[in-house]
């Protein structure tokens, strides 16, 4: 069994990006600038956004964090988005999800200028992705592709089973794994809450990508020998013995599943850090595309 070490690979990617930023600085060019909007005080979301801003500093990007109260109206958020769309200094920005109930997420995502949509959530970018056109690929799926590529995990002709059909991970992942090329060329099954006989399906999978948010959901008896296991789950589970009062737990029963798998991502230290690295990569791409306009 080999660990797919997202922590290490993401560090490699950040070093590569930092070197490119250094070159930009030497040439006197403007460095990429990422902005992030967060609405409300959800602890996990604040942590993720904080990590994104810290990663910007680490590679030499400029960053702006915009915190808005949980009572923010959709109109107020759309106004802020318009400001960022029009701000020439900002190369790319994200709106951290989930948003409070009074705000229509789809309306918000559609208001983002597609050329600054480094999350790849705008329908124009999502459509381009589905049509194999060059665009921003959502950071978590992009990170999974990058991990598979850097470890040279064979995907061609394999049966990939995706668990969960979220717009952020499961749905785009199911499209990307079926695309032509590497990683891709898989036969894909997208499973969700209405899927029947899930164990029968997962036990036929060569590659399982689980993005469910149910701690320890995937058990050893649900997989076949030598399956590749990608765990996107990051749930905070209460644990009084830990300093923070919780531990981050994946969707996979790692202890038992890892004994059967050929490759597996740990939680933490697998897909999570890759998401941040690929957001930086998309921001660099946004900057380069703007420069070439
Ligand atoms: N919430 C969970 N994952 C993500 C992500 O990749 N981007 C944004 N904007 N929000 C998220």
């Amino acid at each position: 069994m080999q660990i797919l070490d997202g922590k290490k690979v993401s560090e490699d990617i950040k070093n590569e990006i930092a070197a490119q930023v250094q070159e930009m600085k030497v040439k006197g060019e403007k460095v990429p600038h990422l902005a992030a909007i967060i609405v409300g005080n959800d602890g996990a979301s604040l942590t993720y956004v904080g990590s994104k801003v810290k990663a910007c500093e680490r590679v030499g990007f400029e960053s702006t964090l915009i915190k808005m109260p949980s009572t923010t109206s959709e109109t107020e958020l759309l106004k802020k988005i318009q400001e960022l769309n029009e701000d020439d200094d900002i190369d790319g920005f994200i709106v951290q999800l989930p948003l409070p109930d009074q705000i229509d997420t789809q309306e918000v995502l559609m208001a983002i200028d597609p050329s600054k949509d480094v999350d790849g959530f705008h329908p124009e970018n999502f459509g381009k992705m589905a049509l194999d056109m060059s665009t921003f690929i959502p950071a978590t799926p992009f990170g999974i592709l990058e991990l598979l590529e850097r470890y040279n995990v064979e995907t061609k002709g394999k049966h990939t089973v995706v668990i969960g059909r979220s717009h952020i991970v499961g749905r785009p992942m199911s499209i990307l794994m079926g695309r032509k090329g590497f990683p891709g060329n898989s036969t894909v099954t997208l499973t969700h809450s209405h899927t029947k006989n899930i164990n029968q399906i997962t036990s036929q999978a060569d590659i399982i990508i689980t993005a469910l948010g149910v701690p320890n959901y995937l058990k050893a008896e649900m997989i076949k020998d030598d399956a590749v296991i990608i765990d996107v789950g990051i749930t905070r589970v209460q644990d009084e013995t830990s300093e923070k009062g919780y531990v981050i737990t994946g969707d996979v029963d790692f202890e038992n599943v890892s004994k059967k798998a050929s490759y597996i991502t740990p939680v933490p230290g697998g897909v999570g850090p890759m998401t941040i690295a690929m957001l930086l990569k998309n921001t660099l791409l946004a900057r380069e595309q703007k420069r070439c306009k």
Side-chain angles (χ1 to χ4, degrees):
M1 180 274 296
Q2 166 136 38
I3 296 277
L4 296 171
D5 188 346
K7 192 157 185 266
K8 181 190 172 297
V9 174
S10 68
E11 282 304 319
D12 293 346
I13 294 168
K14 283 190 267 184
N15 286 336
E16 291 160 18
I17 295 172
Q20 280 177 271
V21 173
Q22 195 48 40
E23 266 179 50
M24 289 171 143
K25 280 187 180 163
V26 168
K27 286 189 209 154
E29 290 174 7
K30 177 190 169 317
V31 300
H33 187 168
L34 175 73
I37 303 178
I38 179 155
V39 184
N41 296 310
D42 178 67
S45 291
L46 282 165
T47 306
Y48 300 147
V49 171
S51 308
K52 290 171 185 179
V53 169
K54 226 166 91 187
C56 284
E57 286 165 15
R58 152 90 170 70
V59 298
F61 284 7
E62 281 183 61
S63 63
T64 299
L65 178 58
I66 298 155
K67 286 186 182 169
M68 301 180 81
S70 57
T71 50
T72 302
S73 70
E74 189 175 307
T75 312
E76 286 167 322
L77 179 55
L78 291 174
K79 189 163 163 273
K80 183 53 77 183
I81 288 171
Q82 205 47 42
E83 276 174 37
L84 295 179
N85 283 343
E86 287 165 11
D87 185 341
D88 230 17
D89 196 60
I90 304 283
D91 298 296
F93 67 96
I94 64 160
V95 178
Q96 187 66 24
L97 303 179
L99 289 167
D101 290 344
Q102 73 273 19
I103 299 173
D104 181 334
T105 302
Q106 216 51 49
E107 286 298 324
V108 166
L109 298 179
M110 283 196 296
I112 299 174
D113 179 337
S115 71
K116 295 189 176 189
D117 170 39
V118 284
D119 255 333
F121 293 165
H122 189 286
E124 182 177 316
N125 289 326
F126 205 91
K128 282 184 171 176
M129 176 196 70
L131 294 168
D132 296 339
M133 295 165 75
S134 156
T135 187
F136 301 115
I137 294 174
T140 301
F142 197 9
I144 293 169
L145 294 183
E146 192 76 17
L147 259 187
L148 294 171
E149 189 178 338
R150 292 202 184 210
Y151 280 89
N152 215 9
V153 177
E154 182 63 274
T155 58
K156 184 170 67 181
K158 302 293 182 187
H159 181 200
T160 294
V161 171
V162 179
I163 306 176
R165 57 182 161 184
S166 73
H167 293 171
I168 297 179
V169 186
R171 188 78 57 84
M173 210 59 236
S174 69
I175 295 168
L176 292 162
M177 290 301 283
R179 295 204 308 186
K180 280 187 184 165
F182 174 68
N185 285 329
S186 263
T187 305
V188 180
T189 303
L190 178 59
T191 68
H192 45 76
S193 50
H194 291 279
T195 299
K196 295 198 173 98
N197 304 324
I198 183 109
N199 292 22
Q200 220 175 341
I201 297 169
T202 54
S203 58
Q204 288 171 27
D206 301 303
I207 301 169
I208 299 177
I209 300 167
T210 170
L212 204 57
V214 178
N216 299 313
Y217 168 81
L218 193 79
K219 306 280 190 235
E221 54 271 24
M222 293 169 73
I223 74 159
K224 71 176 183 185
D225 284 336
D226 294 329
V228 176
I229 308 295
I230 308 290
D231 188 352
V232 190
I234 30 167
T235 308
R236 289 182 174 191
V237 175
Q238 228 180 328
D239 180 356
E240 302 311 336
T241 64
S242 84
E243 206 179 300
K244 289 179 177 162
Y246 64 85
V247 284
I248 300 291
T249 309
D251 286 353
V252 176
D253 173 10
F254 186 87
E255 192 188 334
N256 296 306
V257 168
S258 59
K259 290 180 188 142
K260 248 174 128 177
S262 56
Y263 294 90
I264 187 164
T265 60
V267 176
V271 175
M274 289 301 294
T275 297
I276 295 178
M278 302 321 275
L279 176 66
L280 298 176
K281 211 161 177 171
N282 277 343
T283 307
L284 183 63
L285 186 68
R287 174 76 216 124
E288 282 167 353
Q289 283 175 351
K290 211 156 133 209
R291 195 165 52 87
C292 295
K293 259 191 191 165

